[in-house]
Amino acid sequence: MNERYSRQILFRGIGEDGQQMLQNKHVLVIGAGALGTGNSEILVRSGVGKITIVDRDYVEWSNLQRQQLYTEQDAEQQMPKAISAQRRLQAINRDVTIEAHIADVTPTEMEQFAPDTDLIMDATDNFEIRMIINDAAQKYSVPWIYGSIVASYGISYTILPQSSPCLNCLLQGMPVGGLTCDTGGVISPVVQMVVAYQTAEALKILTENWSDLRRELISFDIWSNDHSSVNVDKLKFVDCPSCSTEPIYPFLSQSQTKTEVLCGRDTVQIRPASKETRNLEDIAKHLSNLGDVNQNSFLLQFRTDQNRMIMFKDGRVLVHGTNDATEARSLYHQYFA
């Protein structure tokens, strides 16, 4: 077995058999922010055979404080997070297959990615996507590990289809509002704590050490030194629409919002009604007389005196400087439709 994993192989919970299992497994990481970069790096360094990373955003300066795979150059070039993460991870371990997808996760993406996956890592920042993950995980019987951070607070829970309560059991629907990293801030140590909980569970699942899994929901505040561990087994809902014996997977079947206000970021995302690959060079030429245009291989940035907009190849546009969906749609149709 490769010398690079020798210390991991010495650990009795993994050993040579467990290391071979890791090399034959595929993990889907949804989100390439703080939790996504931390989770991905540990799994890649551990020798998981294939990692698929899906993220819709690009690297900004505010990310560098806690999102460990990115550099100042990534922020300067506004590189898509999935691409920057892939490049850095491939440099860490060339033996791991790493796929990167610049995409907004909708039911379509989850139906595409989930069936060929051994484990899903939640590294998202909103419950709309988490509920889609939850339904897809239940439909295709894929374990997934929920993780969330804000300020100095973190939470993690491992969800096993047909066994544990699912996220819909625990929440009984979609939460509304709440503090986010963009409104309440976040400190880096809480990221590392949640990543540690998530990846420890991931290694247990991927090496099939099922009896060692933590069957509790963990939450803590690393600043105020609070910590709790709660058994939520009794919250499994017999009529849950996502995980009962007759599920309807409600979050896979509902149509997704085409206009989304990104909480706390003074930004609105516009997603076109149908997927299409846009020619960024042609669009850049068209916009060059209307404002300042900067472009790389994955996205273009367009600035006017009042607004800044980012367009990705899949047609998505981030309208910065407003949280008014009507205004954002107007700007989208004015310049990109």
Side-chain angles (χ1 to χ4, degrees):
M1 189 66 70
N2 196 321
E3 175 67 17
R4 91 184 289 152
Y5 306 117
S6 61
R7 302 305 185 269
Q8 190 163 274
I9 291 170
L10 286 172
F11 175 62
R12 63 175 179 80
I14 295 179
E16 291 198 18
D17 289 343
Q19 189 63 48
Q20 187 61 55
M21 289 183 187
L22 289 175
Q23 292 176 315
N24 294 327
K25 295 297 174 64
H26 176 198
V27 177
L28 173 62
V29 181
I30 304 296
L35 293 180
T37 54
N39 279 314
S40 296
E41 181 169 348
I42 288 179
L43 294 175
V44 164
R45 290 186 183 275
S46 298
V48 173
K50 181 178 179 181
I51 307 287
T52 296
I53 301 171
V54 187
D55 190 276
R56 67 185 179 183
D57 215 341
Y58 61 95
V59 181
E60 299 182 274
W61 287 95
S62 63
N63 302 147
L64 302 182
Q65 164 252 352
R66 67 198 179 281
Q67 299 181 17
Q68 63 192 55
L69 293 178
Y70 306 131
T71 67
E72 291 184 350
Q73 185 178 29
D74 293 325
E76 288 170 350
Q77 296 178 350
Q78 296 181 317
M79 290 296 293
K81 290 182 179 180
I83 300 300
S84 292
Q86 180 190 40
R87 290 175 177 175
R88 178 69 184 277
L89 292 168
Q90 207 69 81
I92 290 171
N93 193 339
R94 61 189 176 188
D95 293 329
V96 175
T97 299
I98 301 168
E99 289 188 359
H101 298 270
I102 308 166
D104 191 25
V105 175
T106 69
T108 300
E109 280 73 29
M110 287 309 303
E111 294 272 13
Q112 174 187 348
F113 295 126
D116 184 37
T117 302
D118 297 296
L119 174 66
I120 302 171
M121 301 296 285
D122 166 35
T124 67
D125 60 1
N126 71 84
F127 279 99
E128 180 179 14
I129 297 177
R130 289 188 181 112
M131 298 304 262
I132 294 171
I133 293 172
N134 184 72
D135 272 10
Q138 299 302 318
K139 181 176 180 178
Y140 296 104
S141 297
V142 180
W144 74 285
I145 303 176
Y146 164 56
S148 181
I149 53 171
V150 63
S152 56
Y153 178 79
I155 187 169
S156 179
Y157 180 59
T158 301
I159 298 173
L160 303 175
Q162 290 86 50
S163 176
S164 68
C166 77
L167 191 63
N168 204 5
C169 288
L170 301 184
L171 301 179
Q172 298 288 294
M174 183 83 72
V176 178
L179 202 63
T180 71
C181 294
D182 293 305
T183 58
V186 62
I187 57 174
S188 189
V190 73
V191 176
Q192 305 305 318
M193 285 286 289
V194 172
V195 166
Y197 279 119
Q198 286 187 287
T199 51
E201 291 289 277
L203 290 174
K204 296 173 192 177
I205 290 172
L206 296 171
T207 57
E208 301 179 11
N209 283 285
W210 304 105
S211 62
D212 293 320
L213 284 170
R214 184 187 68 245
R215 301 280 178 161
E216 297 173 317
L217 185 149
I218 297 289
S219 64
F220 59 88
D221 190 317
I222 201 169
W223 196 263
S224 63
N225 304 308
D226 296 324
H227 188 281
S228 68
S229 179
V230 181
N231 188 315
V232 294
D233 284 349
K234 292 183 179 179
L235 297 181
K236 189 169 178 60
F237 182 41
V238 66
D239 294 323
C240 175
S242 297
C243 72
S244 67
T245 55
E246 297 182 355
I248 60 172
Y249 309 119
F251 297 96
L252 288 181
S253 58
Q254 64 182 220
S255 60
Q256 297 302 300
T257 306
K258 297 297 187 296
T259 304
E260 177 185 1
V261 179
L262 304 187
C263 183
R265 291 183 59 181
D266 202 26
T267 299
V268 177
Q269 175 180 260
I270 308 292
R271 187 169 64 237
S274 59
K275 288 197 172 186
E276 55 184 281
T277 301
R278 302 295 296 268
N279 188 317
L280 298 183
E281 291 187 2
D282 288 348
I283 295 171
K285 291 177 183 177
H286 170 70
L287 295 175
S288 61
N289 294 326
L290 303 175
D292 294 328
V293 180
N294 293 305
Q295 180 190 347
N296 60 37
S297 299
F298 308 99
L299 57 83
L300 69 79
Q301 175 180 257
F302 173 60
R303 287 180 180 269
T304 66
D305 291 339
Q306 292 81 28
N307 302 99
R308 181 168 71 94
M309 289 159 274
I310 302 288
M311 170 172 263
F312 296 88
K313 278 188 174 181
D314 63 1
R316 285 182 303 113
V317 173
L318 298 180
V319 182
H320 295 289
T322 182
N323 56 14
D324 184 326
T326 300
E327 178 186 359
R329 281 194 297 269
S330 176
L331 289 167
Y332 172 81
H333 287 292
Q334 180 179 350
Y335 294 110
F336 297 107

